[in-house]
């Protein structure tokens, strides 16, 4: 086990200090015994459902974009275990501060598919979540949600609430000062905050080795005086275990960094073509590690999942996604005045004239 | 009622707001024991304790970003940036989040925060401590940008800013921090945001200014009065959103306008006011609108700062040329 107080020599071995937590191997066989808290049909099948839903939704979103019915979209293909695992590790009244590729966590927490589609179609109403009212909308400027996490966690601490602020960031985000400033401040104030690094190994065209010489991203927590850990981000059992423990530690005033090591199987967004900078062979190899098949193999191996279950699930999820798409496409567009109506609580008189011009179609 | 300086009024307004509303927090670098490098948070730690008066790590992006998080959670953070020259790392949070959180969530989350900072030159401070970048903030939709010009305005406008449901950039003219004393009653009365104040009524020319330049502008108005020229002096106070009615009404009366600001001329906020006059007040003008501003140079180091700052003589020259325009 990692010794937090024993930082070791400069040539420290990351695998010793930040071992990669893993329960299921690539083929879905348990390499370590799953505790009662992690195992079981009732615990794992909802995670499986959520990951399949996330992927099906993602594929539909990409196809909507390709056919001109959605704007630029960031697929989470291959990273469903990170996103769903984070969502499943939080309490309902915790607050999520996501990056832009965390559809699985958002869906788990009750953001609807319609809202996500609306946002990526270019409609602000998609950030007015009917479900988790205090969750932050996606952060587009990379790592900019990390300082917000400090403020949300401080609000919980000031109110003596046992709630946790959970921030998800990418590997590229750890190169930014925002990330360090945030984890550093959380350390100073012992804030109830968790920073989950979705290390999908590519920040658009830059692999992790171009972001940092640090062998792990989890070890960046050391400089902030807080705990860091690593989990196999394609093993939802490991993600759930690592993040759940981190969330409970944070709830007790010990902020945490968790690096979930996964792989971006798709393009950065629908506006990207990863073949310009990444070998197909690398991607094909990574398909052997993807998280959904891994969990399905485990469930099948335990006798908890059958072909009929799978077919029924696919049918059910397709129907859900199709219904969401239908509802999304039927949403009436916003009126031009909406640009003005949420700028301030009360529109200043000096803007009323512009609002009138916009309403008159003086675009 | 005591006579106090502008910086004391800033501290008094924060104390009043904290006393009236437990959701008001003060945070920033050295705001606790030190009471702020200018003493603008003097006494707050002793009175309200370290939870509500929080010294932060030295990280401006963090200060602005955590304020966004606190505000979204219903607190009212009043954050200090030590000098305007150090605000730039925080600008990402201001323009990408604070100013648009209400809009991008269609009102679900909002950002009632105040970011205070000293602005401007005139105290012989080191490099990077003397710039006036109010126009940069005025260009950002969703913000309020407020600049007090006296101790009583600082008290009233800061109270209003803290109580405002949207983000406010509150720029305190460093040169005025201790320049004058004024009787200010700690009555909890906020001043009105989003409106200009007419500091002096006149009929011959309108001098429009804000912040520390109100001093030189009023001095110029005094000098003009000796020549029988009655200048109306307007303190814009809230440059965004701009109260154009007050300015248009004044220029409608005088037909002449000189705009005075400390910030560099090009892209300065005076250009916006001049454009509004051209758009809506052209026919009442009897002379071209003039601007007296800082040079379009890098802010000089202190030994030359007096040569940068618009002088009373420069304002007078522009005003006289405007009045005599044929």
């Amino acid at each position: 086990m990692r010794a937090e107080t024993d930082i070791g020599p400069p040539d420290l071995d990351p695998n010793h200090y930040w071992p990669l937590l893993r329960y299921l191997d690539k083929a879905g066989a348990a390499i370590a015994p799953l505790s009662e808290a992690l195992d079981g049909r009732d615990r794992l099948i909802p995670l499986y459902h959520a990951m399949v839903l996330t992927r099906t939704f993602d594929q539909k979103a990409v196809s909507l974009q390709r056919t001109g019915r959605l704007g630029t979209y960031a697929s989470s293909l291959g990273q469903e275990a990170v996103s769903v695992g984070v969502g499943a590790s939080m309490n309902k009244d915790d607050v999520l501060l996501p990056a832009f590729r965390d559809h699985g966590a958002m869906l788990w927490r009750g953001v609807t598919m319609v809202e996500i589609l609306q946002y990526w179609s270019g409609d602000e109403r998609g950030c007015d979540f009917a479900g988790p009212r205090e969750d932050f909308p996606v952060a587009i400027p990379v790592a900019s949600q990390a300082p917000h996490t400090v403020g949300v966690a401080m609000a919980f601490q000031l109110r003596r609430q046992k709630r946790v602020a959970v921030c998800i960031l990418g590997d590229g985000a750890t190169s930014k000062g925002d990330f360090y400033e945030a984890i550093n401040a959380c350390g100073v104030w012992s804030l109830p905050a968790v920073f989950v690094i979705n290390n999908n190994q590519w920040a658009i065209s830059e692999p992790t080795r171009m972001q940092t010489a640090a062998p792990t991203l989890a070890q960046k927590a050391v400089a902030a005086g807080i705990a860091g850990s690593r989990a196999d981000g394609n093993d939802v059992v490991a993600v759930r275990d690592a993040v759940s423990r981190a969330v409970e530690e944070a709830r007790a005033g010990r902020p945490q960094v968790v690096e979930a090591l996964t792989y971006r199987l798709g393009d950065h967004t629908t506006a990207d073509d990863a073949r310009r900078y990444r070998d197909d062979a690398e991607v094909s190899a990574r398909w052997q590690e993807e998280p959904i098949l891994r969990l399905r193999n485990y469930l099948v191996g335990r006798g908890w999942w059958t072909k009929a279950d799978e077919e029924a699930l696919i049918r059910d999820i397709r129907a859900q996604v199709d219904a969401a798409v239908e509802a999304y496409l039927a949403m009436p567009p916003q009126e031009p005045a909406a640009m003005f109506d949420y700028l301030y609580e009360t529109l200043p008189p000096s803007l009323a004239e512009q609002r009138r011009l916009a309403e008159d179609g003086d675009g | 009622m005591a006579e106090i300086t502008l910086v004391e009024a800033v501290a008094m307004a924060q104390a009043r707001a904290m006393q009236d509303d437990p959701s008001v927090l003060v945070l920033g670098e050295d705001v606790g024991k030190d009471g702020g490098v200018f003493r603008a948070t003097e006494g707050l730690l002793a009175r309200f304790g370290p939870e509500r008066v929080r010294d932060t790590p030295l990280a401006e992006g963090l200060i602005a970003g955590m304020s966004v998080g606190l505000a979204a959670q219903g607190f009212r953070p009043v954050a200090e940036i030590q000098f305007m020259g150090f605000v730039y790392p925080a600008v990402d949070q201001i323009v990408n989040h604070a100013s648009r959180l209400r809009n991008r969530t269609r009102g679900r989350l909002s950002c009632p925060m105040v970011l205070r900072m000293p602005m401007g030159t005139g105290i012989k401070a080191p490099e990077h401590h003397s710039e006036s970048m109010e126009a940069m903030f005025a260009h950002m939709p969703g913000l309020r940008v407020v600049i007090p010009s006296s101790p009583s305005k600082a008290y009233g406008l800061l109270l209003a800013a803290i109580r405002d449901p949207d983000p406010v950039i509150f720029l305190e003219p460093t040169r005025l921090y201790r320049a004058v004393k004024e009787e200010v009653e700690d009555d909890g009365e906020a001043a009105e945001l989003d409106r200009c104040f007419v500091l002096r009524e006149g009929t011959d020319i309108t001098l429009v200014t804000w912040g520390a330049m109100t001093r030189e502008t009023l001095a110029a108005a005094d000098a003009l009065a000796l020549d029988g020229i009655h200048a109306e002096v307007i303190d814009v106070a809230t440059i965004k959103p701009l109260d154009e009615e007050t300015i248009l009404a004044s220029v409608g009366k005088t037909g002449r306008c000189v705009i005075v600001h400390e910030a560099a001329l090009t892209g300065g906020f005076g250009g916006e006011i001049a454009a509004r006059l051209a758009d809506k007040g052209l026919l009442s003008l009897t002379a071209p609108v003039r601007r007296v501003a800082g040079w379009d140079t890098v802010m000089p180091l202190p030994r030359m700062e007096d040569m940068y700052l618009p002088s009373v003589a420069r304002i007078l020259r522009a005003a006289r040329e405007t009045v005599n325009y044929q």
Side-chain angles (χ1 to χ4, degrees):
Chain A
M1 284 300 286
R2 183 170 61 82
E4 279 166 32
T5 50
D6 178 10
I7 300 309
D11 58 342
L12 49 84
D13 172 10
N15 291 315
H16 175 72
Y17 291 101
W18 295 276
L20 191 71
L21 182 69
R22 176 184 286 152
Y23 290 99
L24 305 182
D25 70 11
K26 291 179 196 177
I31 55 171
L34 274 63
S35 70
E36 208 175 307
L38 296 173
D39 206 7
R41 196 192 161 98
D42 294 346
R43 283 193 181 77
L44 297 179
I45 287 187
L47 298 174
Y48 184 70
H49 278 209
M51 289 200 292
V52 174
L53 174 70
T54 303
R55 185 169 296 181
T56 309
F57 171 75
D58 242 6
Q59 285 166 338
K60 177 60 83 176
V62 170
S63 85
L64 286 170
Q65 190 278 334
R66 297 291 186 229
T67 51
R69 291 176 293 170
L70 194 72
T72 299
Y73 177 77
S75 160
S76 65
L77 183 64
Q79 301 151 68
E80 297 87 353
V82 177
S83 202
V84 167
V86 172
S89 300
M90 297 171 64
N91 287 352
K92 202 173 159 86
D93 70 347
D94 294 336
V95 163
L96 178 70
L97 297 100
F100 49 77
R101 205 187 293 287
D102 303 314
H103 319 302
M106 292 166 71
L107 289 169
W108 184 283
R109 290 185 52 74
V111 178
T112 67
M113 288 185 273
V114 175
E115 287 164 347
I116 296 175
L117 290 171
Q118 252 187 317
Y119 176 71
W120 291 98
S121 77
D123 185 332
E124 291 85 352
R125 291 174 297 181
C127 294
D128 183 12
F129 310 147
R133 296 291 289 171
E134 293 175 60
D135 280 11
F136 266 57
V138 301
I140 300 292
V142 168
S144 62
Q145 74 276 33
H148 306 160
T149 309
V150 178
V152 172
M154 182 174 282
F156 298 157
Q157 188 185 60
L158 286 167
R159 295 196 206 104
R160 312 285 188 264
Q161 291 173 321
K162 289 290 175 196
R163 301 167 70 188
V164 179
V166 178
C167 177
I168 312 182
L169 325 82
D171 39 304
T174 63
S175 300
K176 291 200 63 169
D178 282 350
F179 168 69
Y180 175 71
E181 289 182 18
I183 61 174
N184 182 60
C186 286
V188 170
W189 292 315
S190 304
L191 293 178
V194 176
F195 297 84
V196 179
I197 302 165
N198 174 354
N199 181 0
N200 68 18
Q201 306 190 45
W202 287 91
I204 306 189
S205 69
E206 296 192 18
T208 316
R209 68 175 181 280
M210 289 188 187
Q211 296 295 336
T212 181
T216 75
L217 302 178
Q219 71 197 76
K220 296 195 174 201
V222 174
I226 69 175
S229 61
R230 281 201 305 159
D232 182 338
N234 283 4
D235 172 2
V236 74
V237 181
V239 174
R240 192 168 185 305
D241 186 32
V243 178
S244 296
R245 279 192 281 158
V247 167
E248 292 323 307
E249 283 289 298
R251 214 180 291 288
R254 291 183 289 274
Q256 306 279 312
V257 171
V258 181
E259 175 186 359
L261 191 64
T262 179
Y263 190 80
R264 197 191 80 206
L265 289 172
D267 294 331
H268 167 66
T269 64
T270 50
D272 176 43
D273 176 6
R275 288 170 303 182
R276 291 172 60 86
Y277 50 79
R278 199 166 71 166
D279 286 341
D280 285 346
E282 176 185 315
V283 181
S284 304
R286 295 296 188 158
W287 266 103
Q288 307 309 311
E289 302 173 7
E290 69 94 1
I292 293 184
L293 183 61
R294 192 185 296 204
L295 181 59
R296 188 195 307 150
N297 285 343
Y298 179 75
L299 295 173
V300 169
R302 292 298 300 259
W304 294 338
W305 196 248
T306 65
K307 194 158 177 278
D309 290 331
E310 181 73 12
E311 284 167 1
L313 177 69
I314 298 293
R315 257 197 318 276
D316 178 42
I317 281 177
R318 283 204 180 132
Q320 283 181 47
V321 172
D322 288 346
V325 169
E326 203 174 316
Y328 150 66
L329 292 172
M331 295 288 294
Q334 298 183 94
E335 296 296 328
M339 281 187 282
F340 295 88
D341 290 345
Y342 304 93
L343 208 50
Y344 299 93
E345 190 186 68
T346 308
L347 191 71
S350 55
L351 274 163
E353 183 187 332
Q354 289 185 29
R355 185 182 185 275
R356 211 161 38 243
L357 290 169
E359 270 187 317
D360 292 346
D362 189 10
Chain B
M1 197 163 35
E3 285 213 327
I4 59 171
T5 61
L6 192 150
V7 72
E8 287 166 340
V10 167
M12 192 163 88
Q14 290 176 94
R16 181 74 192 206
M18 294 187 86
Q19 177 195 303
D20 291 350
D21 179 353
S23 72
V24 176
L25 309 171
V26 164
L27 56 119
E29 297 156 10
D30 309 301
V31 298
K33 264 190 187 169
D34 197 33
V37 293
F38 282 105
R39 310 290 176 256
T41 55
E42 177 94 356
L44 298 181
L45 175 69
R47 205 167 146 197
F48 299 102
E51 281 209 329
R52 293 183 67 197
V53 182
R54 184 86 61 149
D55 278 322
T56 65
L58 206 165
E60 288 80 9
L62 168 78
I63 291 168
M66 67 183 281
S67 297
V68 171
L70 283 162
Q73 275 290 315
F75 283 93
R76 287 182 180 259
V78 183
E80 176 174 300
I81 298 290
Q82 212 153 62
F83 285 93
M84 199 172 206
F86 308 142
V87 75
Y88 305 108
V91 170
D92 178 26
Q93 288 293 336
I94 297 164
V95 69
N96 282 324
H97 292 293
S99 66
R100 56 198 289 159
L101 190 61
R102 179 189 294 282
N103 183 68
R104 73 190 292 257
T105 61
R106 286 298 183 250
R108 180 171 64 86
L109 299 175
S110 63
C111 199
M113 62 180 271
V114 176
L115 201 65
R116 299 177 34 246
M117 68 201 83
M119 76 177 285
T121 187
I123 58 158
K124 308 284 183 205
E127 195 173 7
H128 302 291
H129 288 64
S130 302
E131 282 76 4
S132 296
M133 296 296 287
E134 68 273 21
M136 173 182 76
F137 291 116
H139 196 55
M140 297 173 186
L143 293 181
R144 280 193 160 76
V145 182
V146 178
I147 308 169
S149 64
S150 69
S152 61
K153 289 218 173 62
Y155 177 80
L157 290 170
L158 183 52
L159 271 181
I162 296 170
R163 292 172 188 165
D164 191 79
D166 291 299
V168 179
I169 305 295
F170 196 83
L171 306 174
E172 299 161 5
T174 320
R175 192 149 54 95
L176 296 189
Y177 265 153
R178 294 184 170 80
V180 287
K181 283 193 169 193
E182 205 176 45
E183 286 197 347
V184 183
E185 195 181 345
D186 187 10
D187 56 5
E189 285 286 318
E192 204 178 335
L193 296 175
D194 304 357
R195 60 161 294 226
C196 301
F197 299 98
V198 178
L199 299 184
R200 175 177 306 193
E201 293 192 4
T203 49
D204 301 326
I205 183 169
T206 304
L207 305 177
V208 178
T209 189
W210 52 90
M213 289 311 300
T214 51
R215 296 191 79 199
E216 284 77 6
T217 306
L218 284 167
D222 285 342
L224 289 170
L226 297 177
D227 297 346
I229 300 167
H230 303 290
E232 182 143 302
V233 179
I234 293 180
D235 171 12
V236 180
T238 301
I239 66 166
K240 186 187 189 89
L242 179 65
D243 165 19
E244 62 182 26
E245 278 77 20
T246 300
I247 297 170
L248 286 167
S250 174
V251 175
K253 182 173 64 176
T254 63
R256 301 176 184 93
C257 184
V258 172
I259 304 157
V260 182
H261 61 67
E262 191 172 318
L265 179 76
T266 301
F269 198 71
E272 178 61 33
I273 294 172
R276 303 271 185 121
L277 289 169
D279 193 12
K280 295 176 180 167
L282 189 65
L283 297 181
S284 58
L285 286 169
T286 57
V289 174
R290 295 281 298 272
R291 289 176 290 162
V292 179
W295 311 118
D296 282 336
T297 62
V298 171
M299 181 73 218
L301 297 191
R303 290 176 69 167
M304 288 209 295
E305 71 183 21
D306 294 342
M307 299 173 212
Y308 174 89
L309 202 61
S311 62
V312 176
R314 277 180 67 200
I315 300 167
L316 268 178
R317 192 157 56 240
R320 289 202 173 105
E321 285 170 8
T322 302
V323 169
N324 296 328
Y325 182 83
Q326 297 290 330

